[in-house]
């Protein structure tokens, strides 16, 4: 079945640095990818929707300059957390679709900012 | 706006017990409804879905019925197993695969 690979699975970084998270669709062309954030014991919050070749659409309250999303190809989207701070520590999850198949989720990336 | 409310966990059951996890929604129009499961250390997996009123989604012994009159999509299983221990998310889609999730309910099944 379709697989979405997310990398890294966990990362620890120092406050003020930037971190890039990759989301790849391995056996289908993902026309749309979604980025979610999951706080401990809470639900997934949709951060943004990215369509290949165009700018991402951010949900209300999500800082565009803090969370940079690039969807340069049909198999890769990246989320860069810029100038990370401890409050950015969270679990980030991507999902991908080509609209002909159900949504597929990556295994998530746990970010810890020290 | 669209939203999903599901019962708080954790839910702790003995093996072979009956499971119900309540889910209600608020939405404009006629959304599709989903249950996703997240096993420890894994990503979310689609468990079942229903796309219109009175549809029943089912998979792996789980089932849920889309009730428009009560705006509900409760998850049920007649006899749970230890391997069902996971976090279950109710979700709705207003279109374009954009999902709105509930808070998740952790299920722990003991032998």
């Amino acid at each position: 079945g379709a697989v979405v690979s997310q990398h890294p699975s966990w990362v620890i970084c120092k406050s003020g640095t930037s971190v890039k998270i990759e989301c790849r669709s391995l056996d289908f062309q993902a026309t749309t990818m979604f980025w979610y954030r999951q706080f401990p014991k809470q639900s997934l919050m949709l951060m943004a929707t990215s369509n290949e070749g165009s700018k991402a659409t951010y949900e209300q309250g999500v800082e565009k300059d803090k969370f940079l999303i690039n969807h340069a190809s049909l198999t890769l989207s990246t989320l860069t957390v810029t100038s990370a701070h401890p409050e950015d520590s969270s679990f980030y999850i991507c999902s991908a679709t080509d609209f002909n198949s159900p949504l597929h989720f990556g295994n998530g990336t746990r970010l810890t900012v020290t | 706006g669209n939203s999903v409310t599901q019962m708080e966990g954790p839910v702790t059951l003995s093996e072979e017990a009956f499971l119900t996890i309540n889910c209600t929604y608020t939405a404009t129009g006629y959304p599709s409804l989903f249950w996703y499961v997240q096993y420890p250390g894994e990503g979310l997996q689609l468990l079942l879905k229903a796309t219109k009123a009175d549809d029943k989604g089912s998979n792996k012994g789980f089932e849920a019925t889309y009730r428009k009159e009560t705006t509900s999509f409760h998850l049920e299983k007649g006899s749970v197993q230890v391997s069902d221990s996971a976090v279950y998310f109710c979700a709705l889609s207003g279109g374009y695969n954009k999902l709105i999730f509930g808070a998740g309910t952790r299920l722990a099944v003991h032998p």
Side-chain angles (χ1 to χ4, degrees), chain B residues 20-90:
Chain B
T20 299
I21 300 178
N22 290 339
C23 170
T24 58
Y25 67 90
T26 302
T28 54
Y30 304 96
S32 295
L33 300 174
F34 306 82
W35 277 100
Y36 280 84
V37 58
Q38 186 177 31
Y39 297 104
E42 299 184 18
L44 272 76
Q45 301 173 29
L46 177 63
L47 180 60
L48 53 85
K49 69 176 183 180
T51 58
K52 61 183 188 296
D54 299 325
D55 266 2
K56 178 184 285 188
S58 61
N59 185 27
K60 299 181 180 180
F62 292 90
E63 58 182 35
T65 302
Y66 190 141
R67 301 285 189 199
K68 184 170 178 290
E69 63 276 13
T70 55
T71 61
S72 64
F73 193 54
H74 304 321
L75 181 69
E76 296 181 336
K77 186 174 185 181
S79 176
V80 293
Q81 304 300 312
V82 173
S83 57
D84 294 325
S85 299
V87 181
Y88 293 82
F89 292 91
C90 184

